[in-house]
Amino acid sequence: MSSRTLTGLLLMVGTIVMLVGFMIVLANIGDVDWGDASEMIPAFAENSGVVKALIPVATLGMLMVAAGFAGLNHSMAGGSSAHYMRVGLLLYVIGTTVVIGEGALSIGVAEAASAGNQTAAEALHAASGAIGSAGEATRLLGFALIGVSIFTQKNLHVALGALMVVIGLIGVGVAVGDYTSDLMGIPYIGGAILTLATGILVIRTKD
């Protein structure tokens, strides 16, 4: 398997695995206000098994995507936008690491809530929201810079790069302004679609 194929597969499969993990959690949690501890904690307590099983699955998907972007960075080394790509990858990896921490705290919320420890659950929920906002803003800024590098180096379709910039910057604004807003669905869904498209184009593009 070539490095290009591996990079594309990591981006595609990682995105699918991440979506499966998060979507199953969301389907079980139901329509609740993620910023309201009085709604979230009981929902996590009721679905603690799903949360503890599926958030690690989503985490695996996130790590695969980060590895895929690392492969893309390697393939763009020496190009006209290699610097943008390196900085974007760095921010993306840092943000992903913080978001994984948010997931770990969410598992802690589920465990504490299911054990009836309301005080610990509330503290963990507050902490997860705080670091989640910073992590997503950083990750999506990195995503936008990766888009800048694709747009300027033209190693993939320029429209892909432009859309990544737009979605990434929208995500940064929403994450900083109101992380629990339903508007976060725009960068989540848009980012997933664009990452899948990146993986497909990486595989289809000839060296």
Side-chain angles (χ1 to χ4, degrees), residues 77-171:
S80 59
S81 295
H83 181 65
Y84 290 121
M85 184 65 202
R86 285 195 298 270
V87 175
L89 176 63
L90 176 62
L91 291 174
Y92 191 91
V93 170
I94 291 172
T96 296
T97 303
V98 176
V99 173
I100 289 172
E102 178 193 13
L105 289 173
S106 295
I107 292 174
V109 172
E111 291 180 341
S114 63
N117 191 338
Q118 183 72 12
T119 301
E122 290 178 355
L124 289 168
H125 178 264
S128 69
I131 72 166
S133 173
E136 283 294 359
T138 304
R139 185 180 73 88
L140 289 164
L141 180 58
F143 188 78
L145 281 173
I146 291 171
V148 170
S149 70
I150 291 172
F151 182 82
T152 55
Q153 189 160 321
K154 299 180 176 62
N155 55 313
L156 300 174
H157 201 292
V158 293
L160 173 69
L163 288 171
M164 289 176 72
V165 173
V166 172
I167 290 297
L169 292 179
I170 289 173

Side-chain angles (χ1 to χ4, degrees), residues 23-92:
M23 289 300 183
I24 294 176
V25 170
L26 289 172
N28 281 270
I29 295 299
D31 185 17
V32 296
D33 182 353
W34 284 71
D36 188 344
S38 66
E39 292 186 25
M40 281 302 301
I41 291 174
F44 270 47
E46 185 178 346
N47 298 279
S48 61
V50 173
V51 172
K52 289 187 283 186
L54 271 299
I55 284 183
V57 172
T59 297
L60 174 62
M62 293 176 69
L63 291 172
M64 292 174 70
V65 170
F69 280 131
L72 183 61
N73 171 61
H74 179 73
S75 71
M76 294 174 67
S80 59
S81 295
H83 181 65
Y84 290 121
M85 184 65 202
R86 285 195 298 270
V87 175
L89 176 63
L90 176 62
L91 291 174
Y92 191 91

